[in-house]
Amino acid sequence: MANLNQKRPIEDDSSSNSSGEEEDDSQDEELGEEEQLGENDREIQVEFAGQSPIAEDFHGIKNLLHQLFLKAHVNLSGLTELIIQQSYIGSILQQCIDNDDSDDEEDGNAEDEVFGVTSVINLSHHKDVECVKEVKQYLLEKTQQKLVELFNNPSNHIGLLFNERFINIPPQVSVPLLENLCKEIGEAKEAGKPFDFTHFILICKLHESTRKDQESKKKKAKGSNILWVNAEEEPISEIGEVLGEYSVRNESDSAVSGTWDEDDEQLDPKRRIVLISAAQLPEMLTKIKEFLQ
């Protein structure tokens, strides 16, 4: 079993920060007081770490699952419990806080907050669990029953991948999280646990332009009219088999909320269901790394 509490930190630098420490100091002197910087002009460095999911992470994980399933008839509490119960598989993403600041209540809340979850649930092994039944029914409906044969074949072990995080966290954090997940799946398999998968299903989040003019048609032909919520899921979609795509416009999706002007690029929030074989996992990781370079 992997020691999940030792997962390596992931640094998120929201700016290029190519200059050295001395240059930063001189810039600070020129600026004088920090108040001279606008709220949106400050450089922020945040370090994240992957941790094993525990009971205290329940609400954070459930909220992340909600942004994927929205109003679907799926018991998210049940799915969250399954993710927590198999704590030797998968990670939640949390902010690293300096021990010196641990007494600060605001920092304490940030440290406990779940910023992402990367995990997998064996839909075949948990086939009699009610929330898994609901997920399978949801997948069947959204793929026009294309998964029937796959689900009904007893030799298949199908994993549902979860790759969720806050929308403003860069896609580079997905690489160590997915690498660690693959490593943990291998270790669990060797230990005789039910993680000997034949296939994986990923529900991707994307937005597609609703413009119908000639320029938009050209973009659609090139596939450039799509905005991926998690950028690393684009190469996964390219190597996998797309089984279904559908709009969730009528459901509450905070990522596309707001007021549109007539000339704005309007986007239709969608979900895309992608199937990959277990043998494609190494290729998936390679493609993601190449894509994010």
Side-chain angles (χ1 to χ4, degrees):
M1 182 183 301
N3 187 353
L4 301 186
N5 289 322
Q6 299 300 319
K7 293 173 182 173
R8 61 191 178 96
I10 306 159
E11 186 172 302
D12 167 21
D13 185 354
S14 61
S15 66
S16 61
N17 199 27
S18 58
S19 55
E21 213 173 281
E22 294 179 1
E23 187 177 337
D24 288 339
D25 291 341
S26 65
Q27 288 175 348
D28 287 343
E29 290 174 4
E30 291 175 6
L31 286 169
E33 307 245 345
E34 186 181 350
E35 283 78 5
Q36 291 177 334
L37 283 171
E39 185 66 28
N40 295 326
D41 296 327
R42 295 178 184 173
E43 293 183 357
I44 300 174
Q45 287 188 348
V46 180
E47 192 175 77
F48 293 101
Q51 304 291 348
S52 304
I54 57 176
E56 286 75 11
D57 302 320
F58 178 88
H59 292 291
I61 296 173
K62 183 179 176 182
N63 287 338
L64 288 165
L65 296 185
H66 177 263
Q67 73 179 23
L68 176 66
F69 287 103
L70 300 174
K71 294 181 179 180
H73 180 63
V74 174
N75 185 341
L76 300 183
S77 294
L79 282 182
T80 303
E81 289 288 358
L82 285 179
I83 290 173
I84 294 172
Q85 287 168 13
Q86 54 180 41
S87 59
Y88 50 89
I89 290 285
S91 313
I92 55 120
L93 196 64
Q94 289 188 322
Q95 184 178 343
C96 296
I97 302 296
D98 248 348
N99 290 333
D100 295 340
D101 301 327
S102 59
D103 293 335
D104 189 279
E105 183 178 349
E106 185 176 340
D107 285 344
N109 291 337
E111 186 176 17
D112 294 336
E113 189 166 8
V114 179
F115 289 86
V117 59
T118 303
S119 192
V120 61
I121 286 178
N122 190 330
L123 299 180
S124 305
H125 179 74
H126 296 293
K127 62 182 179 180
D128 295 325
V129 178
E130 192 60 33
C131 64
V132 172
K133 290 181 180 178
E134 292 171 349
V135 169
K136 291 173 71 174
Q137 183 59 37
Y138 173 81
L139 292 170
L140 287 170
E141 290 175 358
K142 297 303 183 182
T143 60
Q144 286 75 51
Q145 308 298 313
K146 292 177 184 176
L147 285 164
V148 169
E149 290 186 14
L150 198 72
F151 284 154
N152 289 343
N153 189 336
S155 65
N156 289 331
H157 287 270
I158 303 157
L160 177 63
L161 285 172
F162 295 103
N163 180 47
E164 292 299 312
R165 63 178 178 273
F166 283 10
I167 195 170
N168 58 336
I169 297 178
Q172 284 75 13
V173 302
S174 67
V175 174
L177 292 173
L178 289 170
E179 284 181 329
N180 197 74
L181 178 64
C182 292
K183 176 184 175 184
E184 290 167 338
I185 289 173
E187 291 173 346
K189 177 182 173 182
E190 290 178 2
K193 298 183 183 298
F195 290 89
D196 188 7
F197 294 108
T198 57
H199 301 82
F200 294 96
I201 294 172
L202 177 66
I203 305 174
C204 306
K205 302 198 302 293
L206 53 97
H207 301 140
E208 185 175 12
S209 172
T210 60
R211 299 285 291 268
K212 302 297 184 182
D213 55 39
Q214 192 62 33
E215 184 64 26
S216 296
K217 290 179 180 179
K218 291 179 181 178
K219 287 183 178 180
K220 186 171 185 178
K222 297 177 181 178
S224 57
N225 66 326
I226 292 176
L227 173 66
W228 294 83
V229 176
N230 295 332
E232 71 278 6
E233 292 178 357
E234 182 176 351
I236 298 176
S237 178
E238 289 174 354
I239 69 170
E241 180 183 358
V242 177
L243 298 180
E245 184 171 307
Y246 49 98
S247 173
V248 291
R249 175 177 289 275
N250 294 329
E251 305 181 38
S252 175
D253 192 337
S254 59
V256 291
S257 63
T259 303
W260 299 98
D261 292 331
E262 185 177 348
D263 294 332
D264 284 345
E265 183 82 3
Q266 297 191 30
L267 300 173
D268 185 16
K270 291 187 171 185
R271 299 292 182 266
R272 178 180 293 183
I273 298 175
V274 178
L275 177 72
I276 65 170
S277 68
Q280 289 179 295
L281 272 186
E283 180 188 3
M284 181 191 81
L285 288 173
T286 300
K287 292 291 185 183
I288 290 174
K289 291 177 185 177
E290 292 174 350
F291 183 80
L292 295 178
Q293 282 180 351

